[in-house]
Amino acid sequence: MAIGPRPPRAGRLPAADDDVELRYHVVHGYRRAYRYAGRGPALVLIHGIGDSSATWAGVLPALARNYTVIAPDLLGHGASDKPRADYSVAAYANGIRDLLGVLGIDRATLIGHSLGGGVAMQFAYQFPERTERLVLVSAGGVGREVTPVLRLVSMPVVAALLSVLGLPGMRCQTRLVLGLLKRLGTDLGQDEPTLLRLVDALPDGASRSAFVRSLRAVVDWRGQVITMLDRCYLAEGMPTLLLWGSRDGVIPVRHAHRAHAAMPGSRLEIFEGAGHFPYTADPARFLAVVEHFLATTRPADWSPERWRALLRAGRPGSAVGQPDDARNRAVERELQSESERSAT
């Protein structure tokens, strides 16, 4: 039996952002900003690196018609504090847990984009009993590949040059470069307006330092440094939706198929022609797909006995060194080729 709200009709536009409130809580001595709206089952929207909860403006109000929506500014991002701190995905997952604790929310569906997708997966791994569903949008942590831009910025010499973004005239120069990428038809150019907004989000030294710390926790000059593939078998029984743009210039769409193969029972939706931000490229379709997923799945029924059984059995094919089927063979090859990556 379907549960939740009726899926919206295709083409319906999201509501205005008038009723979304930006709130603040001090947790562990640091101010955490978050957007809060709606009433009903809890949805947590987790943005990507260098971004903020403002990225969800086109879809958050519509989701809030049937759900309680919490969209935090991760530590080091947006209106949250930017201390010299731990910016690993595990630390971010802990921060989400603590914010939900402050708000009195025991369980939630997590919707994570890019770095936020990695944080959502880490949250589900650390706190499966608090996770109802996962929606992973262009998520990190699947394969090594990532845009060369982020690989370069993770290097100390290049990272030090980020301060030039604050110089007069640099915004104009950045706009020209992104505009050229768009005119040349590159995948990265598909997200020109959003990428320009991300550059604008690095106005001071504290913001740039937090960005670099967050980036280096997940990317180095060779690409992504963490993986979730080794634990994807634990997602069995966790309703999971994967959303990707076919022209993602940051994290390639083949990662979507790889994650789909590794996560038992997951659903996959590709947004043709969209880049790294499918929810801004086609917000009406994003809402329709997500709300249909929420309406046609039941929250995960976590069992400590089942969790222990999955852990003892291990990853399919790993015990005897021979994967069970073609899907597992693809995952196994990925893990073998990138065995030096961190299983955080």
Side-chain angles (χ1 to χ4, degrees):
M1 179 183 297
I3 60 173
R6 179 178 301 172
R9 292 176 303 192
R12 188 187 69 180
L13 296 177
D17 199 22
D18 298 337
D19 298 325
V20 179
E21 181 181 359
L22 185 64
R23 300 182 180 183
Y24 302 89
H25 268 296
V26 175
V27 183
H28 309 313
Y30 301 119
R31 186 180 74 164
R32 314 285 180 125
Y34 61 98
R35 283 175 164 79
Y36 187 99
R39 180 178 298 177
L43 301 181
V44 179
L45 310 185
I46 311 174
H47 63 76
I49 192 167
D51 212 338
S52 74
S53 57
T55 195
W56 304 108
V59 297
L60 194 159
L63 291 172
R65 287 198 283 264
N66 297 294
Y67 299 94
T68 297
V69 183
I70 305 99
D73 286 355
L74 296 175
L75 197 68
H77 294 73
S80 290
D81 281 346
K82 301 168 180 64
R84 185 175 182 271
D86 180 3
Y87 290 119
S88 66
V89 290
Y92 278 134
N94 289 338
I96 297 292
R97 174 205 58 189
D98 294 343
L99 177 61
L100 293 180
V102 168
L103 298 176
I105 296 173
D106 295 325
R107 305 186 76 210
T109 292
L110 275 67
I111 303 176
H113 171 248
S114 197
L115 170 68
V119 173
M121 288 185 283
Q122 185 69 23
F123 184 97
Y125 171 62
Q126 292 178 200
F127 315 112
E129 72 283 0
R130 305 192 66 167
T131 310
E132 294 189 338
R133 302 175 189 82
L134 286 174
V135 179
L136 306 176
V137 187
S138 306
V142 179
R144 178 184 294 176
E145 302 100 324
V146 70
T147 176
V149 174
L150 291 180
R151 292 164 60 183
L152 282 172
V153 174
S154 72
M155 300 173 65
V157 174
V158 180
L161 297 177
L162 285 179
S163 59
V164 303
L165 294 175
L167 296 178
M170 281 307 300
R171 189 179 192 278
C172 182
Q173 297 297 321
T174 303
R175 176 181 290 174
L176 288 174
V177 171
L178 291 174
L180 177 62
L181 291 174
K182 184 175 182 178
R183 287 192 295 274
L184 291 174
T186 65
D187 290 345
L188 201 59
Q190 300 300 306
D191 298 308
E192 176 203 13
T194 305
L195 293 176
L196 186 61
R197 178 174 59 80
L198 296 188
V199 172
D200 289 341
L202 301 174
D204 53 54
S207 298
R208 292 189 291 269
S209 178
F211 171 79
V212 171
R213 286 179 177 272
S214 300
L215 178 63
R216 288 179 179 167
V218 293
V219 172
D220 66 13
W221 66 273
R222 293 180 296 175
Q224 296 190 61
V225 299
I226 61 172
T227 182
M228 46 77 86
L229 292 179
D230 59 329
R231 288 155 293 151
C232 275
Y233 66 94
L234 294 171
E236 183 177 329
M238 174 69 67
T240 302
L241 173 64
L242 301 162
L243 300 176
W244 235 274
S246 67
R247 299 194 61 187
D248 193 326
V250 178
I251 301 175
V253 68
R254 58 181 167 271
H255 289 203
H257 299 283
R258 193 176 295 164
H260 182 46
M263 304 185 80
S266 61
R267 301 184 188 181
L268 174 61
E269 190 83 17
I270 303 297
F271 284 53
E272 292 298 329
H276 189 56
F277 299 83
Y279 56 90
T280 61
D282 193 344
R285 182 183 173 194
F286 179 87
L287 286 167
V289 171
V290 169
E291 292 188 343
H292 182 261
F293 170 71
L294 296 173
T296 57
T297 57
R298 293 186 179 277
D301 184 14
W302 184 78
S303 160
E305 292 79 14
R306 179 59 178 162
W307 185 263
R308 284 193 293 268
L310 288 170
L311 283 170
R312 288 167 180 162
R315 193 173 66 248
S318 61
V320 296
Q322 295 296 327
D324 294 339
D325 53 32
R327 288 159 64 94
N328 288 329
R329 281 197 296 274
V331 174
E332 200 70 21
R333 282 195 301 270
E334 173 69 18
L335 288 167
Q336 289 172 356
S337 66
E338 305 187 12
S339 58
E340 76 278 9
R341 292 170 69 207
S342 169
T344 301

